[in-house]
Amino acid sequence: MMKLFLDTANIDEIREAWNWGVIDGVTTNPSLVSKEGRKFEDVLREVCKIVDGPVNAEVVSTECEGMLKEGRALAKINRRIVVKVPMTSEGIKATKTLSSEAIRTNVTLVFSPNQALLAAKAGATFVSPFIGRLDDVGNEGMQIIGDIVTMYSHYSYRTEVLVASVRHPIHVIQAAKLGAHIATIPFSVLKWMLKHPLTDTGLDRFLKDWERVPK
Ligand code: E4P
């Protein structure tokens, strides 16, 4: 089953989407958290009360030791937390150590298939290729999703491909067609996925016609 994560730190959006019953987890990043104007740990605790699935929380240290300290502390907050680590040599070292301690990791800021290969070798639970940001600089972001899914499929890597930086519903369709395990999507994209004008006009007509049925 393809999983959908919600890409936000906003509690109202998370609660609403979770109640729809189609969301499997949440991703946050420092930029998303900063929009909420609340303490990171408070946000995480609240999200973990709502969501019965992976809650991705990012470290901000740039050295392995600092990442390990932050990662271990984040993992202690709640068993649902997955530690997001940036795709650097320090991040890869931290990923290797955290995964050997059975702490789940998500290697983030991935922009190439080779980076994704290193993340898998380090034992990452998830790898996050940023599609929209690649599109922004004139590359076809979705191309690397196909490459990564193909590369992983040749071996027994357990790392799941988490398509990130999703900007519109077509990204979600493309990710699903390529067999990506997960897409993390902003709440706006989830709402666009649901909507179709013909559904609205169709429902309107059914309800109007129903009024003419003798009761
Ligand atoms: C999620 O894990 C990523 O941090 C997020 O999707 C990045 O999205 P953006 O490129 O729209 O900021």
Side-chain angles (χ1 to χ4, degrees):
M1 183 190 76
M2 189 197 192
K3 289 177 271 191
L4 289 178
F5 288 2
L6 202 67
D7 196 21
T8 181
N10 183 277
I11 296 296
D12 294 336
E13 291 182 348
I14 292 169
R15 190 173 287 117
E16 169 77 12
W18 183 255
N19 286 340
W20 290 11
V22 294
I23 290 299
D24 304 287
V26 164
T27 50
T28 66
N29 64 34
S31 307
L32 292 171
V33 173
S34 78
K35 282 192 204 162
E36 300 307 310
R38 300 176 58 197
K39 281 175 83 177
F40 188 25
E41 197 174 321
D42 294 347
V43 173
L44 289 178
R45 285 188 193 283
E46 210 171 333
V47 176
C48 289
K49 274 192 204 147
I50 301 168
V51 174
D52 182 13
V55 174
N56 291 261
E58 192 158 337
V59 300
V60 288
S61 299
T62 51
E63 303 294 325
C64 179
E65 273 317 304
M67 291 178 186
L68 291 176
K69 208 169 150 214
E70 273 186 70
R72 288 170 186 141
L74 286 168
K76 276 207 185 92
I77 294 175
N78 192 291
R79 64 182 173 80
R80 297 196 169 111
I81 290 184
V82 177
V83 179
K84 279 179 87 176
V85 172
M87 179 67 227
T88 59
S89 55
E90 294 297 296
I92 282 296
K93 279 192 274 177
T95 300
K96 182 81 185 171
T97 303
L98 291 170
S99 50
S100 74
E101 294 172 10
I103 293 176
R104 291 180 299 168
T105 52
N106 173 350
V107 175
T108 189
L109 290 165
V110 165
F111 294 93
S112 77
N114 274 331
Q115 289 180 322
L117 189 57
L118 295 178
K121 289 192 65 72
T125 313
F126 304 128
V127 64
S128 291
F130 277 33
I131 298 319
R133 294 194 197 185
L134 278 170
D135 290 350
D136 289 344
V137 296
N139 290 343
E140 183 142 8
M142 215 36 85
Q143 176 78 45
I144 68 162
I145 299 302
D147 290 343
I148 297 166
V149 168
T150 304
M151 285 160 69
Y152 282 8
S153 73
H154 290 313
Y155 306 98
S156 52
Y157 293 121
R158 287 161 66 184
T159 305
E160 293 188 49
V161 180
L162 195 171
V163 180
S165 191
V166 165
R167 300 278 166 77
H168 49 69
I170 294 172
H171 276 153
V172 184
I173 295 169
Q174 291 170 327
K177 284 167 85 172
L178 290 167
H181 303 88
I182 312 158
T184 186
I185 57 177
F187 190 47
S188 55
V189 173
L190 181 68
K191 286 191 285 188
W192 288 328
M193 286 170 70
L194 182 92
K195 276 276 173 198
H196 198 288
L198 291 178
T199 305
D200 296 341
T201 53
L203 179 60
D204 204 42
R205 194 183 308 159
F206 283 157
L207 294 178
K208 282 208 170 76
D209 290 345
W210 186 250
E211 283 169 17
R212 290 199 295 275
V213 174
K215 314 268 175 357

